[in-house]
Amino acid sequence: MWSNIFSYTFQNSRNQYKNLGGFILLLITVSTCNGQTILTPTANYVETEIAPGQSFQISVSGSPTGTGYVLVQAHAYQQNVTLSADSALTPGQFTKGQNVGLVLISPAASAYLKNDNNETVPVLLVAQFYNVNAPIPGGCNMELSIKTAPFLPTSFNKDVLTVEYPLGSWPLNVKPATCDRAPLQYDIYEYYIQERDLTLRTAFDSIRLMSNMTAIEHNGKKVTFSGSPPSKVKFANYPGTGRVVAVILRTLTSSAAYTPTLSYGCYTTPTPDSSDEDEESCQIMTSVGAKLLNAGLLFVGLFLISVGHRFYKCQLFLLGFCMSAILFYIILERVISVGSTVAGTSSTTVGALGGALWLALWSKFGSPMAPVLLAALLLGSLFSSTVAYTPLGDIPLLKDDLTFWLAYICVTLAVPLSIISFAQLTSIAVTSILGAYFFIIPIDHYIGSNLKFIALNTIRRATNSEFGTAIVDPTFQWKDLVLTIVWIILSAVGILFQLWRERGRAPFPPPPPSHHRHSLPSVSVVSRSSSLYTQDDDGVSSVGVIGGPVEEQATESSPLLKT
């Protein structure tokens, strides 16, 4: 007797058993009998589990008349499995991975699935039946070891997710069906999973939504890749956010879909190449440094929102720190490749020195215009990064590095040119908007949303040469929407609160007393009614605007007036 029967039944299954654009998606059931798995037309998708070291045969039955080939897919959850055309694992006849597939030319052929892991692996099996008019995905594979590769090899690093599609071949009824004929058309689609959702149920449900051509066109978003080679598609990597990528191969009259691939852009489980503190791990805030950084950003953000302009020296140091640390990190990554810990520590050290130097320069010269210009440039840079994070960042013209950076600089400079004449308002707006962004970054990191990549994508573009051609196309889900609203509200509240707090006070504080000691002794011409340096009710000195009637007052330090 057959045992351990798995089935998955959908409503309206009768309507789904029909020809859809040149292929037939069979309803299948998995039944295990002496290590054999039989696919029959009784269920759409099959979920099963493979015990450690177990392998079984996948047989296909009930093929419709006119079937040209069968595409068998195996999607394993967070582990690799081996899918082979024979039980002996003959070289060139098997493939290994999390999302793999095989083309069975004979409808009566079988495939074999094996679990080489030390743990039980959940697997989703899908079968697609194509007629003789459909092209063959991966039929002209020239790179992988297997002859026909109807799946999408996927790799990633901390910046870029790369999906390859082996070239397809013409339908079986085209003679001669050689690979040097006119190229076929490849349409690329992507589908985002909910951010930070790594569960089995969501993974398999998402693959179902992209498992056949009708579902791909309905649920996926078509994207265009202009890089080289065209058979390697590069996406901006958003670790922790799952993405299903599918490719449809088309001729003028028919089409077929590759086995879709699912990637989270990070290691969901420990591997020999990763650790919990690895920057490519899906674990969040596991190191002490990450926790300290996020806590620091949270408090710095609150400080800048509430009293950033009032404590002007702290503002100068923080803005100088940000500019110095970011520039040094970009230069360091461009010149040499170092680990994230070394790069972070070095950038922090240089940032602290840069902030102290910027504060010292202001103490030396005393003019507030240079600090205000730096603050406006930082705000302009954040605005440019926000624009590049939108769909405008995927305009083909901006994939060229020279064009992108010229546009980026122009947009960045437009901000200070627009607001620099309102010096105090510029200072308050910069501290409020940047402070609000600093405040939401730790929250964004913890809940798994992606607003942090507004700034990170620009840094990636500056440090990683292959990121320029990558498809940016970030997801914008409810978590991102909520944090965006919080960002806007905090920015507005910070601006209004600081304007209210600074009412009746001079726009900027004076430089330290050391600046005055370098001045020549002379008669001080100051207006008592509107002095350059005034004292408010709290006893804090500040810089005012000269105007009104002038009174001459002799300073006690002037030897000329004493005589």
Side-chain angles (χ1 to χ4, degrees):
M1 294 295 295
W2 289 354
S3 61
N4 195 21
I5 299 177
F6 301 88
S7 64
Y8 192 101
T9 306
F10 283 100
Q11 294 180 351
N12 302 322
S13 59
R14 294 179 181 178
N15 296 330
Q16 295 181 357
Y17 180 62
K18 60 182 181 180
N19 193 317
L20 297 174
F23 75 92
I24 297 177
L25 178 62
L26 282 189
L27 311 181
I28 56 179
T29 296
V30 177
S31 305
T32 302
C33 178
N34 297 326
Q36 184 181 21
T37 301
I38 302 175
L39 304 184
T40 58
T42 56
N44 281 48
Y45 308 92
V46 174
E47 292 182 26
T48 183
E49 292 183 343
I50 309 179
Q54 178 185 358
S55 61
F56 55 78
Q57 180 182 357
I58 303 174
S59 300
V60 179
S61 63
S63 300
T65 303
T67 298
Y69 66 90
V70 182
L71 174 56
V72 177
Q73 303 177 14
H75 302 276
Y77 180 65
Q78 298 186 354
Q79 298 291 341
N80 292 332
V81 292
T82 300
L83 185 63
S84 175
D86 57 31
S87 58
L89 299 182
T90 304
Q93 297 295 319
F94 71 92
T95 182
K96 187 174 183 178
Q98 292 186 15
N99 304 277
V100 291
L102 278 181
V103 170
L104 305 180
I105 299 299
S106 172
S110 298
Y112 297 84
L113 191 64
K114 183 178 180 181
N115 177 17
D116 295 320
N117 302 283
N118 296 323
E119 58 184 277
T120 300
V121 178
V123 177
L124 171 66
L125 299 177
V126 181
Q128 297 181 21
F129 282 54
Y130 292 91
N131 57 38
V132 294
N133 298 316
I136 302 175
C140 288
N141 166 50
M142 300 294 182
E143 297 183 6
L144 304 178
S145 59
I146 191 170
K147 181 179 179 181
T148 301
F151 51 90
L152 308 174
T154 304
S155 60
F156 63 86
N157 55 40
K158 61 186 179 67
D159 297 331
V160 176
L161 173 70
T162 303
V163 177
E164 304 179 42
Y165 54 90
L167 298 180
S169 62
W170 284 81
L172 295 173
N173 62 352
V174 175
K175 304 297 182 183
T178 59
C179 293
D180 57 357
R181 294 177 63 94
L184 301 170
Q185 178 182 341
Y186 300 85
D187 292 339
I188 306 163
Y189 295 82
E190 67 174 348
Y191 173 80
Y192 278 110
I193 299 177
Q194 283 293 326
E195 296 164 330
R196 197 64 68 181
D197 188 346
L198 310 179
T199 60
L200 169 66
R201 180 76 277 130
T202 301
F204 282 176
D205 287 346
S206 300
I207 291 173
R208 287 193 186 99
L209 293 176
M210 299 286 284
S211 62
N212 62 77
M213 289 183 297
T214 303
I216 291 171
E217 293 172 342
H218 181 266
N219 301 305
K221 178 182 178 181
K222 188 176 180 179
V223 295
T224 302
F225 179 67
S226 56
S228 179
S231 59
K232 285 188 178 182
V233 186
K234 297 176 182 178
F235 298 87
N237 189 17
Y238 303 109
T241 301
R243 176 181 359 217
V244 181
V245 178
V247 177
I248 295 180
L249 175 65
R250 300 184 188 276
T251 65
L252 294 177
T253 58
S254 187
S255 56
Y258 284 75
T259 300
T261 182
L262 166 63
S263 176
Y264 296 99
C266 55
Y267 295 112
T268 55
T269 56
T271 68
D273 300 326
S274 67
S275 63
D276 287 342
E277 297 187 7
D278 197 313
E279 59 188 2
E280 295 178 0
S281 171
C282 289
Q283 301 297 321
I284 59 172
M285 288 190 286
T286 55
S287 66
V288 176
K291 295 176 182 178
L292 291 176
L293 176 62
N294 282 273
L297 285 174
L298 196 69
F299 287 108
V300 168
L302 283 175
F303 172 81
L304 290 175
I305 292 171
S306 55
V307 291
H309 179 72
R310 192 62 186 155
F311 291 87
Y312 193 64
K313 295 179 183 179
C314 293
Q315 178 197 142
L316 292 177
F317 175 81
L318 290 173
L319 295 183
F321 176 92
C322 290
M323 181 66 75
S324 303
I326 293 174
L327 289 178
F328 180 79
Y329 179 83
I330 291 174
I331 295 173
L332 186 66
E333 287 291 317
R334 293 291 296 186
V335 175
I336 58 176
S337 179
V338 296
S340 58
T341 302
V342 175
T345 303
S346 303
S347 300
T348 302
T349 303
V350 173
L353 295 175
L357 178 61
W358 189 246
L359 182 58
L361 290 175
W362 174 78
S363 301
K364 174 68 175 178
F365 297 103
S367 172
M369 293 311 298
V372 170
L373 178 61
L374 175 64
L377 286 173
L378 282 173
L379 182 60
S381 179
L382 180 60
F383 180 71
S384 297
S385 299
T386 304
V387 173
Y389 188 72
T390 66
L392 294 176
D394 281 321
I395 296 176
L397 183 64
L398 295 181
K399 294 303 178 181
D400 177 69
D401 283 337
L402 179 60
T403 306
F404 173 84
W405 289 116
L406 285 176
Y408 186 90
I409 292 172
C410 290
V411 175
T412 299
L413 292 177
V415 173
L417 291 176
S418 302
I419 63 176
I420 193 64
S421 57
F422 308 97
Q424 183 189 38
L425 178 60
T426 299
S427 176
I428 291 176
V430 170
T431 56
S432 299
I433 297 174
L434 285 180
Y437 186 63
F438 289 161
F439 179 82
I440 67 170
I441 285 179
I443 303 174
D444 172 279
H445 189 61
Y446 181 76
I447 67 176
S449 53
N450 290 314
L451 292 187
K452 54 184 171 290
F453 290 103
I454 291 176
L456 289 179
N457 276 359
T458 301
I459 297 176
R460 289 168 160 183
R461 185 72 185 254
T463 58
N464 192 332
S465 58
E466 67 175 342
F467 190 83
T469 58
I471 300 171
V472 178
D473 190 36
T475 180
F476 193 81
Q477 302 177 8
W478 69 269
K479 295 178 182 178
D480 305 286
L481 177 61
V482 170
L483 278 186
T484 301
I485 295 174
V486 172
W487 183 12
I488 295 173
I489 293 176
L490 286 178
S491 300
V493 170
I495 293 173
L496 295 176
F497 174 75
Q498 292 196 70
L499 287 175
W500 171 81
R501 181 181 175 84
E502 298 300 318
R503 73 191 190 284
R505 294 176 175 176
F508 296 95
S514 60
H515 173 70
H516 303 290
R517 286 197 293 267
H518 297 286
S519 303
L520 291 175
S522 60
V523 177
S524 177
V525 180
V526 181
S527 167
R528 189 185 299 266
S529 61
S530 55
S531 61
L532 181 63
Y533 303 120
T534 62
Q535 244 186 359
D536 55 26
D537 296 336
D538 298 332
V540 179
S541 297
S542 55
V543 177
V545 179
I546 297 176
V550 177
E551 299 180 5
E552 294 186 354
Q553 298 177 348
T555 59
E556 296 180 359
S557 61
S558 174
L560 296 176
L561 294 179
K562 285 183 179 179
T563 58

